[in-house]
Amino acid sequence: MSIIAFIGVGNMGGGMAANLAKAGHDVRAFDLSAAAVARAISHGCTAATSARAAATGADAIVTMLPAGSHVATAYHDTLFDAASPHAILIDCSTIDVATARRVGETASDKGLKMVDAPVSGGTAAADAGTLTFMVGGPDAAFALARPILEKMGKAVIHAGGPGMGQAAKICNNMILGATMVATAEAFVLAEKLGLDAQTFFDISSKASGQSWSMTSYCPVPGPVPTSPANRDYQGGFASALMLKDLKLALAAATTAGASVPMGAQAAALYQLFANNGGDSQDFSAIVKLLRG
Ligand code: NAD
């Protein structure tokens, strides 16, 4: 059993911390939201009075925070100072590559072991312990992080050095955003041409138009019974989070000098959808915008 400090027990972190507690770890939860901490306690965690109190003497520190600024502040202001020299630091938030690299490299400079380990999979996967982790950091840090991440996920993949977990995450989600837009517009075109949605799905899901966006999160109701389209686009992966990830991809592309015209177009469409109030709906609801 290890002592694990878990900072940020919101929609995702709550389920993840619960799985660590279920695995027998002593999980000290801290969050700015009292309701989030209360939920963590009900799942076997103990409440910490501050991030510093949670981290002091812990064997591992896991953070699941909204964005890069939260992560940089938490580590630079508190966690680097409070962490034991033997502790493994794991940031599971989705943040920009530059901040992830900077924070990871600062940890190394301080003689601490740290990985960036963003996840694929939403709240259902966080609750079920079936997330996929994309991990960036030195080999020794990955070796320490792996057994902890395995308690929260079904796959743990080492992507490279500091920031490479975030790089893998945003590149993957840029494909996801672009393929969802392409899939949704194809269903709209099929509809306008008089082609039945189920028939189009039956053909395209077995032909070269097939993608995860089509077969798992099909943007029209019917063909994939579990897709959010069948529950009025509630739950699933919020359009706001897709927009966040696309913006992170565009920022990284600008820094790296990469050309990402499809990612940029997808970001513009998700921004327009958010401006029209679609941000809380699943990202497959972009089909509504495309219908006009
Ligand atoms: P959330 O807003 O539900 O949880 C974030 C939590 O962090 C909140 O409870 C908030 O109170 C807490 N917090 C913020 N600043 C803090 C601080 N300084 N100290 C302690 N707690 C603090 O968000 P979420 O949906 O759980 O997402 C968390 C991260 O996971 C984000 O980076 C998001 O992009 C990523 N992510 C989310 C999903 C999803 O489906 N929700 C999927 C993959 C990745």
Side-chain angles (χ1 to χ4, degrees):
M1 182 191 80
S2 302
I3 298 173
I4 301 179
F6 208 114
I7 318 296
V9 285
N11 291 326
M12 294 292 290
M16 294 161 70
N19 282 317
L20 291 175
K22 205 160 85 186
H25 295 299
D26 175 2
V27 182
R28 302 171 180 170
F30 177 70
D31 196 294
L32 299 179
S33 154
V37 174
R39 179 180 161 225
I41 293 170
S42 74
H43 287 105
C45 303
T46 54
T49 51
S50 65
R52 183 175 292 276
T56 303
D59 303 305
I61 300 171
V62 183
T63 45
M64 192 52 163
L65 297 167
S69 57
H70 304 86
V71 172
T73 303
Y75 281 94
H76 286 290
D77 289 4
T78 309
L79 300 175
F80 284 147
D81 188 38
S84 301
H86 76 279
I88 175 68
L89 317 185
I90 305 174
D91 178 43
C92 294
S93 327
T94 300
I95 69 169
D96 58 290
V97 176
T99 300
R101 269 196 183 132
R102 211 165 39 243
V103 175
E105 285 166 2
T106 305
S108 291
D109 292 346
K110 291 177 179 291
L112 296 167
K113 293 190 180 63
M114 177 164 190
V115 295
D116 50 288
V119 306
S120 175
T123 52
D127 290 346
T130 55
L131 293 165
T132 293
F133 290 91
M134 300 156 239
V135 189
D139 290 346
F142 177 70
L144 282 176
R146 180 180 216 145
I148 294 168
L149 297 174
E150 280 173 346
K151 298 288 185 289
M152 302 185 282
K154 64 173 181 340
V156 179
I157 301 155
H158 195 187
M164 289 304 104
Q166 300 294 349
K169 161 91 188 182
I170 57 167
C171 289
N172 180 74
N173 278 20
M174 190 173 72
I175 296 174
L176 182 62
T179 56
M180 181 55 83
V181 171
T183 305
E185 69 185 20
F187 272 98
V188 172
L189 176 60
E191 203 171 281
K192 290 190 189 298
L193 293 172
L195 175 57
D196 174 64
Q198 181 68 53
T199 306
F200 173 54
F201 175 86
D202 291 343
I203 294 166
S204 196
S205 63
K206 291 180 189 63
S208 46
Q210 186 273 341
S211 72
W212 192 92
S213 292
M214 176 174 283
T215 56
S216 294
Y217 268 44
C218 186
V220 298
V224 177
T226 51
S227 81
N230 297 290
R231 39 179 204 273
D232 198 21
Y233 303 97
Q234 297 308 302
F237 183 52
S239 294
L241 288 173
M242 174 50 80
L243 177 59
K244 172 191 169 182
D245 292 357
L246 287 168
K247 284 181 174 172
L248 291 175
L250 295 195
T254 302
T255 308
S259 168
V260 290
M262 300 298 288
Q265 188 60 40
L269 288 165
Y270 277 101
Q271 183 66 68
L272 189 58
F273 191 46
N275 295 347
N276 285 303
D279 44 352
S280 67
Q281 297 176 48
D282 177 70
F283 79 117
S284 61
I286 196 77
V287 70
K288 295 184 188 175
L289 182 85
L290 297 166
R291 276 204 184 97

